[in-house]
Amino acid sequence: MMVCEYKPGLDGIPAAQSSISNVDGQKGILEYRGIRIEELAEKSTFLETAYLLIWGELPTSNELAAFEDEVHSHRRIKYHICDMMKCFPESGHPMDALQASAAALGLFYSRRDLNNPAYIRDAVVRLIAKIPTMVAAFQLMRNGNDAIRPHADLDYSGNFLYMLNEKEPDPLAARIFDICLILHAEHTMNASTFSARVTASTLTDPYAVVASAVGTLGGPLHGGANEEVIEMLEEIGSVENVRPYIEDRLERKAKIMGFGHRVYKVKDPRATILQNLAEQLFTKFGHDKYYDIAVEMERVVQEKLSHKGIYPNVDFYSGLVYRKLGIPTDLFTPIFAIARVAGWLAHWKEQLEENRIFRPTQVYDGKHDVSYTPIDQR
Ligand code: CMC
């Protein structure tokens, strides 16, 4: 048997062969099924991008209309799921609420028919349709209100903002939110996607696949950094404080949130698009002083850390966009999950097409032949 070098975090070790997305970290390129992210952000919608990721090709107008209709008609969640969510503690984190609710879908749609394309499509539609409804429902319920029903006349993103804020969103705000979902929909073999593929490889149901990925996304080293960026901007408080804040952190060898990436060694292309979206929102709805702090941070970090390839990542400007859309900080990661469910489902489907259960090995460095010590002699 070939002996492989142990790499903590499986750094650089391929976990799958995949044709879903590609990152060139030197050139700052991200492609979904070969299409550049900039082009999708400009021309596509989240549902069309989800279709592209999951079925591998852009849909025809009939295929897209059919998919949108199916998703729209499955947006409601069952009373039993609402009743269950009402019992969640209002102080609980919305990611934990989402993980529990996603897993609960498996109780209602438990039939497992993984070789049947109709079953796959049904599960894809249900998960893409219901995850936003569950995120919005928990937000209302934790504030003591009943969840509101999806709005029949609003599209995917407009409806989510409507269910969250109980009022119809401005069309520009809804479009910008939809672009944010496109940008977060997929990103090669990150931790939550790996988690989804491992769970999928056991041939369990897709609700368990998504629930395990949601649990993985919730950690601060993965999906949680955008919350911390906002906290950092608030702590800095003014443009003048930027330089001393950065110098102090670098002296203490502390990381600056929203900067750096394992793969990108230039500015993350999604950060460039998000910065532009933030500017569009400020032009229409008023400036945010934290944006000036962010721009100054980018300038100072570039001056001090560009030689190490440290530039803004996707989390640096996304929080400013969500803040301007009136979204509470602890919903930033659930919103990441709403988008990433498209990527997870694409990987679930790809994993099933040529499945082999994940069963890596380990390097054992423990003891051997230890004799059992009776309890009174320990
Ligand atoms: N601030 C200051 N220095 C940094 C930063 C940063 N944000 N990121 C990396 N460095 C330095 C690091 O100190 C090290 O320097 P040296 O070689 O002198 O010791 C060098 O750059 C390499 O850093 P690393 O930690 O080995 O790089 P990594 O590839 O293991 O980590 C990262 C990537 C994203 C975990 C890291 O850059 C980081 O912690 N960034 C801040 C948190 C953050 O913004 N996370 C969001 C990531 S993108 C979304 C997602 O994946 O979910």
Side-chain angles (χ1 to χ4, degrees):
M1 189 187 166
M2 193 174 72
V3 180
C4 300
E5 187 193 346
Y6 164 55
K7 295 274 195 126
L10 301 183
D11 184 0
I13 296 179
Q17 200 159 315
S18 179
S19 57
I20 299 169
S21 68
N22 178 49
V23 171
D24 182 328
Q26 300 300 330
K27 294 191 183 137
I29 293 173
L30 169 60
E31 300 163 313
Y32 294 171
R33 300 286 187 185
I35 304 177
R36 293 275 185 108
I37 192 68
E38 291 83 358
E39 199 170 358
L40 290 167
E42 186 193 333
K43 299 177 183 164
S44 188
T45 61
F46 172 68
L47 283 186
E48 185 187 58
T49 297
Y51 188 104
L52 168 74
L53 288 167
I54 295 164
W55 281 286
E57 301 280 351
L58 284 169
T60 62
S61 54
N62 284 345
E63 285 166 341
L64 180 60
F67 182 54
E68 286 171 346
D69 279 354
E70 281 173 70
V71 169
H72 287 192
S73 66
H74 280 88
R75 292 186 294 195
R76 273 183 286 158
I77 47 175
K78 289 186 183 291
Y79 284 123
H80 287 311
I81 291 188
C82 277
D83 288 348
M84 177 193 80
M85 292 179 75
K86 280 181 191 154
C87 299
F88 292 170
E90 56 271 18
S91 57
H93 195 285
M95 275 303 269
D96 294 326
L98 179 59
Q99 190 186 20
S101 322
L105 290 175
L107 291 164
F108 294 93
Y109 311 107
S110 58
R111 191 172 58 93
R112 201 175 295 156
D113 193 3
L114 300 176
N115 293 320
N116 179 354
Y119 172 83
I120 303 270
R121 184 173 177 109
D122 208 42
V124 163
V125 164
R126 282 209 170 95
L127 279 157
I128 289 186
K130 293 183 195 305
I131 294 270
T133 310
M134 295 190 298
V135 172
F138 182 66
Q139 169 63 11
L140 292 188
M141 288 172 184
R142 70 176 169 167
N143 288 316
N145 301 311
D146 268 327
I148 59 170
R149 292 162 72 95
H151 193 309
D153 299 333
L154 290 175
D155 67 7
Y156 190 81
S157 288
N159 174 61
F160 172 70
L161 294 176
Y162 163 77
M163 289 190 299
L164 193 67
N165 300 319
E166 299 181 272
K167 63 170 197 268
E168 286 192 32
D170 174 273
L172 177 71
R175 173 61 190 152
I176 284 181
F177 184 78
D178 202 61
I179 298 172
C180 291
L181 296 185
I182 294 173
L183 299 179
H184 287 85
E186 160 65 7
H187 207 243
T188 72
M189 197 54 63
N190 53 84
S192 59
T193 298
F194 182 46
S195 181
R197 284 194 83 124
V198 172
T199 310
S201 81
T202 70
L203 303 184
T204 187
D205 70 73
Y207 308 101
V209 169
V210 168
S212 87
V214 169
T216 309
L217 183 69
L221 291 186
H222 190 6
N226 52 12
E227 287 186 33
E228 295 192 35
V229 169
I230 290 295
E231 283 159 20
M232 174 183 71
L233 294 174
E234 286 171 353
E235 187 190 334
I236 294 173
S238 74
V239 171
E240 299 72 56
N241 291 342
V242 167
R243 185 173 287 274
Y245 175 90
I246 290 173
E247 285 172 352
D248 175 62
R249 281 192 82 82
L250 294 182
E251 208 165 296
R252 291 190 286 112
K253 303 218 174 303
K255 294 270 176 69
I256 298 154
M257 299 316 285
F259 287 87
H261 198 279
R262 174 68 59 82
V263 185
Y264 292 114
K265 298 304 160 204
V266 293
K267 186 168 176 176
D268 184 327
R270 298 166 299 173
T272 306
I273 300 170
L274 283 159
Q275 181 172 10
N276 180 273
L277 296 179
E279 285 175 1
Q280 287 183 43
L281 280 173
F282 302 147
T283 304
K284 178 148 189 194
F285 301 109
H287 196 65
D288 181 341
K289 75 164 186 173
Y290 294 111
Y291 180 65
D292 300 332
I293 300 174
V295 170
E296 176 66 0
M297 283 194 79
E298 181 175 349
R299 203 181 63 74
V300 177
V301 170
Q302 182 165 345
E303 182 191 302
K304 296 195 174 285
L305 292 175
S306 59
H307 65 284
K308 288 188 187 176
I310 308 294
Y311 289 92
N313 60 45
V314 68
D315 290 319
F316 190 58
Y317 287 108
S318 62
L320 285 167
V321 172
Y322 295 149
R323 229 172 92 95
K324 200 69 197 170
L325 293 172
I327 295 169
T329 311
D330 64 358
L331 289 191
F332 294 177
T333 319
I335 284 166
F336 194 156
I338 291 175
R340 190 54 63 84
V341 78
W344 294 331
L345 290 169
H347 281 271
W348 169 58
K349 199 165 157 293
E350 189 175 70
Q351 182 66 34
L352 292 181
E353 279 157 16
E354 222 162 303
N355 188 52
R356 189 162 189 222
I357 189 168
F358 276 89
R359 190 13 178 133
T361 186
Q362 62 169 9
V363 178
Y364 179 69
D365 63 357
K367 300 172 184 172
H368 293 280
D369 295 329
V370 179
S371 59
Y372 179 84
T373 312
I375 197 159
D376 58 353
Q377 291 170 29
R378 289 175 210 163

